[in-house]
Amino acid sequence: MLDKRSVSSHVFSTFKERLSDCAEARQNIQILDVGAGLGSSFKRIYDLGIGSRIDYTVVDIEDLHVATARTEIRRWLSERGHVIRDKSPRHIVATDVGREVNCQFVTADALRFAAESSDAFDVLVGQAFLDIIPLKTGLKALFKALRPGGVFYFPINFDGISALLPVEDKARDTLVEDIFHQSMDERNDGRTGGSQTGRQLLNILPLVGARIDAVGASDWIVRPLPGSDKYSHDEKYFLGCILKFMHNELMNSKRISSESRAEWFQQRCEQLELAQLKYIAHQLDYTGRFVGE
Ligand SMILES: C[S@@+](CC[C@H](N)C(=O)[O-])C[C@H]1O[C@@H](n2cnc3c(N)ncnc32)[C@H](O)[C@@H]1O
């Protein structure tokens, strides 16, 4: 829900135009979703209503995510009145009046899978994924899956701001944010785009043969429901996870004392319980075509 609300509508509507072009040019659209998690991008894309036949491949390195994505997508399509046929444990075919979708669910390293797919796909989707791969070599591997002129859609790329409000102790808040971002920057021995992935893509995408047709912000902004002193259930849980995640990174750092860390965590958890805590994460979305290097 948070991702759906946050994605850039400008970028998504440009992606929609590119997808329509694909549907006009080809009888079935082949879509590859890398680092697909529980398959939430599928629903947004399928809901656009474009294409009478779609082949959608979900790839994730975690088998549990892939299995959950299958269950969730199957349930979602069935609730929409589609007739579902299980072609194999990892392949479903869903049909509705005038529409058919073939969904395949693959547990694999997406970079390897894409590199070995060679030109098989019309569309490449990667949501909240690029900050965990080596950016330049990873993108080169991913683009190998696209036919020339293929379309890419990369929403939710973190870009260097994780602000918790209210500001309590500016120096400490800045240090906490900095340690959190440093942990992203050190991931994979510093070979990923880390905390600056969003802005780095602006330069790197053209270097690896991608034409950026639209870029826009997709910031997560979490706050209590309007006119209420409560968060939605999901978003309270989400904020709790963010706090635990940040706290874990602080525990791995010598830059903050254990007293200061404990005080920070307790204060932020209390604010969460009182629905006083707000959170902003700055992110960027991209769409365009792979035109080749
Ligand atoms: C932040 S989640 C994003 C999930 C989904 N795209 C979404 O936006 O809801 C990143 C996903 O990438 C997967 N992942 C991490 N490294 C991967 C790799 N090398 N190949 C495929 N999947 C990977 C993780 O298991 C996780 O499901």
Side-chain angles (χ1 to χ4, degrees):
M1 184 60 193
L2 180 59
D3 284 341
K4 193 171 173 186
R5 178 177 86 218
S6 307
V7 289
S8 160
S9 47
H10 161 58
V11 174
F12 195 50
S13 69
T14 306
F15 170 64
K16 184 178 173 187
E17 287 166 20
R18 299 291 169 274
L19 201 61
S20 295
D21 296 342
C22 280
E24 273 173 30
R26 304 180 67 82
Q27 227 174 10
N28 51 328
I29 311 175
Q30 317 251 358
I31 303 178
L32 173 63
D33 186 348
V34 289
L38 311 186
S40 55
S41 299
F42 169 81
K43 299 174 191 169
R44 272 196 310 121
I45 293 170
Y46 192 69
D47 255 354
L48 288 171
I50 295 169
S52 55
R53 186 179 155 160
I54 294 178
D55 296 334
Y56 199 98
T57 304
V58 161
V59 178
D60 200 283
I61 203 161
E62 296 287 342
D63 194 47
L64 182 61
H65 294 187
V66 177
T68 312
R70 179 192 171 279
T71 308
E72 179 56 21
I73 288 176
R74 199 182 187 290
R75 183 196 59 76
W76 186 84
L77 286 166
S78 170
E79 275 176 14
R80 272 160 181 71
H82 286 56
V83 176
I84 316 260
R85 196 158 44 90
D86 291 287
K87 271 188 105 172
S88 77
R90 291 292 168 105
H91 184 177
I92 60 174
V93 182
T95 41
D96 190 19
V97 187
R99 258 193 131 189
E100 177 176 301
V101 58
N102 262 278
C103 270
Q104 306 222 46
F105 300 87
V106 181
T107 303
D109 172 31
L111 307 191
R112 184 170 297 175
F113 181 88
E116 288 168 2
S117 305
S118 57
D119 292 7
F121 293 91
D122 304 300
V123 179
L124 174 66
V125 176
Q127 172 169 303
F129 178 62
L130 299 184
D131 63 332
I132 51 182
I133 62 167
L135 215 42
K136 201 166 174 186
T137 54
L139 282 167
K140 281 186 175 184
L142 292 177
F143 282 136
K144 286 199 174 126
L146 277 182
R147 296 183 211 286
V151 175
F152 64 87
Y153 178 51
F154 298 142
I156 317 274
N157 297 290
F158 182 70
D159 190 46
I161 298 174
S162 333
L164 285 167
L165 300 168
V167 174
E168 290 296 343
D169 172 337
K170 197 164 188 317
R172 190 181 64 194
D173 288 352
T174 306
L175 178 62
V176 168
E177 187 181 0
D178 201 41
I179 293 171
F180 184 46
H181 293 173
Q182 188 186 359
S183 70
M184 298 180 197
D185 296 337
E186 288 170 354
R187 213 186 271 152
N188 239 331
D189 296 330
R191 291 184 305 125
T192 71
S195 66
Q196 308 272 306
T197 297
R199 70 195 68 178
Q200 285 196 43
L201 285 169
L202 210 47
N203 282 332
I204 291 180
L205 280 168
L207 291 180
V208 294
R211 186 189 74 203
I212 301 168
D213 290 342
V215 51
S218 51
D219 298 358
W220 282 338
I221 302 175
V222 186
R223 61 186 181 122
L225 293 163
S228 158
D229 59 359
K230 287 195 171 74
Y231 305 96
S232 74
H233 176 70
D234 284 0
E235 292 188 14
K236 182 173 182 193
Y237 175 77
F238 171 80
L239 267 187
C241 291
I242 294 284
L243 289 183
K244 281 188 207 141
F245 197 40
M246 290 174 100
H247 184 245
N248 277 345
E249 298 306 342
L250 297 184
M251 291 213 288
N252 295 329
S253 173
K254 294 194 171 68
R255 295 174 62 198
I256 187 165
S257 71
S258 54
E259 294 78 26
S260 187
R261 166 174 43 84
E263 199 185 309
W264 171 85
F265 190 53
Q266 189 184 345
Q267 190 174 46
R268 290 310 190 187
C269 288
E270 282 168 9
Q271 288 168 344
L272 177 63
E273 283 312 311
L274 296 169
Q276 291 170 347
L277 190 66
K278 299 175 185 91
Y279 174 63
I280 303 170
H282 178 49
Q283 298 162 150
L284 294 175
D285 293 359
Y286 290 83
T287 192
R289 282 192 188 279
F290 177 64
V291 290
E293 289 174 75

